[in-house]
Amino acid sequence: MAKLSLIRIDFRLIHGQVVAKWLKTIQATKIIVVNNTLAKDPVMSNIYKMATPADVKCSVVGIDTFIAAWNKNQLGEGNALVLFKDVHTTLEVWKKGFPIEQLQIGGLGAGPGRKAVYLNMTLNPEDAAMLTEMSSGGVNVFFQATPEDKQMEYEKVMESVSF
């Protein structure tokens, strides 16, 4: 069984903060990107794999493949960083039985209907509803961009947010 070192939602997936800071902080030996679209795109999958340090294994898989790997042997050996691009995919994986105790929100991007809720991190009403469902279901959801930043609990942030 792999140790789940970090489960993070970050629309940028593998980028400088993840490679330079998070991998070192959590001592991950593998990154698993869960995204149906990327899993079907070998060019983009390879770009993310090339952005990963040589001593860290990177897999880009779809939801069903990820759940099958979890059910088979809990993602194998090592320390895993599991990355999601969006809240919807994270919720779907959780509902299909992937146990998420801690969920870090690193960034969800900007765009129409999105509101900055904590520092530069944004939500829209749909994301907020899905995160609230997970939080109510026992997942500790929190915002944290870098290891140096203090964790900010989702429920605390949402006390002052209205859509």
Side-chain angles (χ1 to χ4, degrees), residues 48-114:
Y48 283 109
K49 290 176 184 177
M50 287 187 291
T52 304
D55 61 338
V56 177
K57 182 179 183 208
C58 180
S59 303
V60 179
V61 298
I63 292 170
D64 291 337
T65 300
F66 180 77
I67 292 299
W70 175 256
N71 290 336
K72 179 180 178 184
N73 64 3
Q74 287 72 48
L75 308 177
E77 299 297 320
N79 296 335
L81 164 56
V82 180
L83 284 173
F84 296 97
K85 190 177 183 84
D86 57 69
V87 179
H88 181 266
T89 301
T90 312
L91 177 66
E92 187 173 343
V93 165
W94 179 67
K95 284 183 171 182
K96 288 186 173 194
F98 178 61
I100 301 175
E101 293 179 17
Q102 307 271 334
L103 177 60
Q104 181 186 84
I105 309 300
L108 291 168
R114 301 196 72 79

Side-chain angles (χ1 to χ4, degrees), residues 82-149:
V82 180
L83 284 173
F84 296 97
K85 190 177 183 84
D86 57 69
V87 179
H88 181 266
T89 301
T90 312
L91 177 66
E92 187 173 343
V93 165
W94 179 67
K95 284 183 171 182
K96 288 186 173 194
F98 178 61
I100 301 175
E101 293 179 17
Q102 307 271 334
L103 177 60
Q104 181 186 84
I105 309 300
L108 291 168
R114 301 196 72 79
K115 177 189 281 191
V117 295
Y118 180 68
L119 302 175
N120 62 343
M121 295 177 218
T122 67
L123 292 175
N124 61 23
E126 294 79 17
D127 285 347
M130 290 183 279
L131 289 171
T132 297
E133 179 179 349
M134 294 179 76
S135 180
S136 297
V139 177
N140 179 29
V141 180
F142 61 94
F143 296 91
Q144 187 178 21
T146 68
E148 298 83 16
D149 295 334

